[in-house]
């Protein structure tokens, strides 16, 4: 049973890791202008854009899940 | 050992994505060597991608904790 | 149980792809909250993506059946 | 042996599911114009476009498989 | 048998990628049948993709061998 | 132990195969102009472009790995 819990935890962690990679991929594309990169740090437009991008993505995710919940009933 | 494997997998994924994005942006036309401009672009881009990854991780984890305190839908869904 | 796992996996994939496409289209510049316009676009886009998925499923399954009746190459290849 | 058949069937089903996701992804991109989405239903251009897209993709698939068959001989 | 499975997996991946690229390029607007122009484009594209795959394989393997002779970082890293 | 070596070798081979697919994907996009394809062979611009693309990608890969090594110390 402990083993089962361990497997559940690990696969949840793996899913979180994978979401973080997807989000970084999506938001980098959206927030960092195309073309050559000049500075390693995120500038004052890019940084809040990345954070907003994560939050809006998760908001949108909730919209989908609520809608699916509603359709199932 | 499973955890170590997971950490490796995670690092590998980061390097893969980072290469993909930065190669796309920094090497539009691959020539017979990596120019110093391309190399600088690459190092900078790498730094930026890792910073972005950190920002996303923090924001995402903070949000999960916030949602799970509220309980309800957010709890097990992300 | 394997079948249930597969159904979950399938639903997860659908939600993932749907999020990807609709976020891309409906939220070009992420702001400090999801505007009502973005929210409407998202619900509509979601509906459209699911309709599209259904259309594709039907067309695909019909085609497989058609090909497997003809026999030959099409049978086991898709 | 029944178990083996079950595994074969399940992995075939999984492959079909995965093809449906790929096709929806590709054809949505091709048939639904970029930008904000106005209507949930598929309009009279989008619906046949999605269906044709599936069929032409599978036609093209057959072209490839026939060609590979020919090359192997 | 594991090796055979790997070869199958490899061929499947090649066909998948090839379809993706060539469908994208050769069938911009899917009509009620595959036109002969689309069909020719597809066969040509397929040939080109497989040639490209061969070129990449050779170049990649040559590079790995070269790096592993030099030893050091390059050895186990790709 | 032989089995273990076999598994290591196979998974290394699988990783190489997967890299080759990714590289072909990326470099095809970069080196072969968009739109309909006219000739099956690689022309005198495309062929060296594909080869350079592989080498520059691996160079860039080394830049990343060296930098990560440096950061870890």
């Amino acid at each position: 049973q402990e083993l089962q819990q361990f497997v559940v935890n690990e696969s949840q962690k793996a899913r979180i890791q994978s979401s973080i990679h997807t989000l970084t991929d999506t938001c980098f594309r959206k927030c960092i202008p195309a073309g050559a990169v000049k500075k390693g740090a995120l500038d004052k437009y890019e940084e809040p854009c990345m954070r907003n991008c994560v939050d809006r993505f998760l908001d949108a995710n909730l919209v989908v899940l609520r809608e699916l919940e509603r359709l199932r009933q | 050992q499973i955890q170590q494997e997971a950490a490796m997998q995670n690092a590998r994924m980061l390097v893969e994505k980072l290469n993909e994005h930065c190669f796309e942006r920094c090497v539009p036309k691959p020539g017979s060597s990596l120019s110093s401009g391309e190399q600088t672009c690459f190092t900078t881009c790498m730094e930026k991608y890792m910073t972005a990854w950190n920002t996303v991780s923090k924001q995402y984890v903070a949000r999960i904790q916030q949602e799970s305190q509220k309980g309800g839908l957010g709890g097990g869904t992300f």
Side-chain angles (χ1 to χ4, degrees), chain A residues 10 16-17 19-21 24-25 28 32-33 35 37 39-42 46 50-51 55 58-59 65-66, chain B residues 3 10 13-14 17 21 25 41 44-45 47-49 51-53 55-57 59-60 63 67 73 77:
Chain A
E10 285 306 305
I16 290 176
Q17 290 292 8
S19 297
I20 290 173
H21 287 299
T24 309
D25 188 54
F28 198 83
I32 317 297
V37 179
K39 275 185 59 190
L42 298 171
E46 295 163 345
M50 287 299 296
R51 285 193 287 107
D55 274 327
L58 296 178
D59 288 348
L65 292 169
R66 255 181 233 130
Chain B
Q3 289 170 325
N10 192 31
M13 192 72 193
L14 178 60
K17 282 286 179 191
H21 279 279
R25 284 158 185 265
C41 177
T44 322
C45 178
E47 202 190 315
K48 187 164 257 178
Y49 198 83
T51 314
W53 189 86
T55 306
V56 167
S57 300
Q59 196 73 10
Y60 185 68
R63 176 70 177 263
E67 296 283 344
L73 244 186
T77 43

Side-chain angles (χ1 to χ4, degrees), chain A residues 3-14:
Chain A
L3 181 68
Q4 210 178 346
Q5 191 53 41
F6 176 76
V7 170
V8 168
N9 284 345
E10 285 306 305
S11 62
Q12 205 171 343
K13 255 192 265 174

Side-chain angles (χ1 to χ4, degrees), chain A residues 40-52:
Chain A
L42 298 171
D43 70 24
K44 68 171 193 266
Y45 164 74
E46 295 163 345
E47 209 269 336
C49 182
M50 287 299 296
R51 285 193 287 107
N52 284 333

